[in-house]
């Protein structure tokens, strides 16, 4: 019954009928093979199914987009014996669909939020606003809803333009060294280009404290330093000399009050440690999305992808 209440990922290869992805299957590996961690796929949302197919699909409804997983993706390395240890309710989950929004201001800054420490999945990690795609919901509508629910920012159609940046295969825990997988998602990263500056958008912030503990606007120079770091490395990088030592953040109190504060830039350069306690950092998938954002600013986004967001 659970599958009927959620939008799940389906796969179609070489024009085969779409089938629901098994929880333990790497979606990226299905198309790219065992060793490659990125592949171009086509995607379409129909009948509450998020269908991914190989790039050769000729259906004009499907959008070509880059799908990527981390080098340390648990489903790339999961052994048969480890898979057998997963509980039945986890094995029967399938792969969920997530939507995350990179809100870009008119002066080229992007909003990131720090997940509340009370959250069970990726607490204290910096990510764009986002969450699950709901039944009968379009990708863009899901992104706008999550942006509104988590940050209080409600965008009207005339206040932004939209673009699909890429897909990310997300697993929690992110590494087998941290435990067996409990959640498996394909996250759709959307770019929303606002007509307002980050200060105008900042004035509209009203974050939900049960989900968000902090908000931060990052500019291209800081993003370039962030995407240069590598998760899984044994040590974090030092902030480049041309960057400030701290960056202004908005702390979200438990009662919803907002306080201006300073965060060491070194925290944003923290990488996911291969073992031991996790640290406050920017998520691996967010680094990927920010890398795509930089590329979109340099080359100009392919606005043909924007139509698919309304599917």
């Amino acid at each position: 019954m659970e599958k009927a209440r959620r939008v799940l990922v389906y796969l179609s290869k070489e024009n085969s009928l779409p089938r629901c992805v098994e929880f333990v299957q790497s979606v990226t590996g299905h198309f790219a093979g065992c060793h490659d961690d990125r592949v171009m796929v086509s995607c379409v949302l129909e009948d509450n199914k998020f269908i991914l197919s190989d790039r050769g699909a000729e259906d004009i409804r499907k959008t070509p987009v880059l799908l990527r997983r981390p080098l340390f993706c648990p489903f790339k390395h999961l052994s048969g014996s480890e898979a057998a240890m997963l509980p039945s309710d986890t094995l029967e989950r399938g792969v969920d669909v997530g939507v995350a929004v990179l809100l870009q201001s008119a002066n080229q800054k992007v909003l990131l939020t720090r997940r509340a420490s009370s959250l069970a999945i990726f607490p204290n990690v910096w990510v764009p606003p986002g969450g699950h795609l709901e039944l009968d919901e379009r990708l863009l509508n899901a992104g706008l809803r999550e942006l509104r629910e988590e940050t209080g920012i409600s965008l009207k159609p005339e206040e932004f333009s939209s673009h699909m940046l890429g897909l990310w295969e997300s697993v929690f825990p992110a590494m087998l060294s941290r435990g067996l997988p409990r959640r498996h998602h394909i996250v759709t990263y959307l770019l929303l280009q606002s007509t307002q500056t980050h200060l105008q958008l900042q004035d509209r912030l009203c974050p939900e404290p049960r989900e968000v503990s902090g908000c931060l606007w990052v500019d291209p120079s800081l993003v370039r330093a962030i995407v240069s770091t590598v998760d899984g490395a044994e040590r974090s990088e030092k902030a480049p000399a041309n960057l400030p030592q701290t960056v202004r953040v908005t702390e979200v109190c438990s009662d919803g009050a907002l306080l201006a504060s300073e965060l060491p830039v070194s925290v944003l350069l923290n990488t996911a440690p291969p073992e031991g306690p996790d640290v406050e950092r920017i998520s691996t998938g967010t680094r990927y999305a920010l890398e795509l954002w930089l590329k979109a600013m340099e080359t100009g986004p392919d606005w043909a992808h924007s139509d698919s967001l309304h599917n």
Side-chain angles (χ1 to χ4, degrees), residues 114 207-210 212-214 250-260:
R114 185 176 57 209
E208 169 52 62
R210 291 173 296 182
V212 175
S213 65
T250 301
E251 298 286 347
V252 183
C253 301
S254 58
D255 61 358
L258 305 182
L259 297 176

Side-chain angles (χ1 to χ4, degrees), residues 9 12 14 21 30 34 55 65-66 71 79 82 98 103 115 131 159 161 180 190 206 212 242 248 256 275 293 298 302:
V9 177
S12 172
E14 298 177 351
V21 184
H30 177 76
C34 299
R55 191 180 179 185
V65 64
L66 180 63
L71 177 66
S79 67
E82 288 171 325
L103 176 61
R115 290 173 58 82
E159 292 182 317
S161 55
L180 293 175
L190 309 181
C206 185
V212 175
N242 62 327
R248 178 66 60 90
E275 56 186 20
W293 173 63
E298 293 170 358
D302 178 3

Side-chain angles (χ1 to χ4, degrees), residues 235-249:
R235 64 180 182 85
S236 300
E237 298 291 332
K238 294 182 178 180
N242 62 327
L243 288 180
Q245 294 300 304
T246 63
V247 63
R248 178 66 60 90
V249 299

Side-chain angles (χ1 to χ4, degrees), residues 186-255:
I186 294 296
V187 180
T188 301
Y189 284 105
L190 309 181
L191 172 61
L192 303 185
Q193 293 183 302
S194 171
T195 58
Q196 294 190 321
T197 68
H198 79 285
L199 293 177
Q200 291 173 308
L201 293 168
Q202 176 76 16
D203 286 340
R204 298 165 67 176
L205 272 179
C206 185
E208 169 52 62
R210 291 173 296 182
E211 298 190 50
V212 175
S213 65
C215 297
L216 163 70
W217 293 94
V218 292
D219 61 22
S221 61
L222 179 54
V223 168
R224 290 187 186 94
I226 290 170
V227 301
S228 68
T229 59
V230 180
D231 276 324
E234 294 186 358
R235 64 180 182 85
S236 300
E237 298 291 332
K238 294 182 178 180
N242 62 327
L243 288 180
Q245 294 300 304
T246 63
V247 63
R248 178 66 60 90
V249 299
T250 301
E251 298 286 347
V252 183
C253 301
S254 58
D255 61 358

Side-chain angles (χ1 to χ4, degrees), residues 132-204:
H132 284 90
L133 179 68
E134 296 183 353
L135 290 175
D136 301 318
E137 192 173 36
R138 296 174 178 178
L139 293 172
L140 178 58
N141 291 343
L144 292 171
R145 173 182 54 77
E146 290 289 348
L147 178 67
R148 181 180 65 254
E149 291 176 354
E150 293 189 6
T151 72
I153 297 177
S154 181
L155 296 180
K156 299 177 182 179
E158 64 272 16
E159 292 182 317
F160 71 95
S161 55
S162 59
H163 170 65
M164 182 185 292
L165 282 175
L167 304 177
W168 177 256
E169 185 163 11
S170 174
V171 182
F172 181 83
M175 302 177 184
L176 283 177
S177 59
R178 298 186 173 280
L180 293 175
R182 301 200 299 273
R183 293 291 185 271
H184 191 181
H185 292 79
I186 294 296
V187 180
T188 301
Y189 284 105
L190 309 181
L191 172 61
L192 303 185
Q193 293 183 302
S194 171
T195 58
Q196 294 190 321
T197 68
H198 79 285
L199 293 177
Q200 291 173 308
L201 293 168
Q202 176 76 16
D203 286 340
R204 298 165 67 176

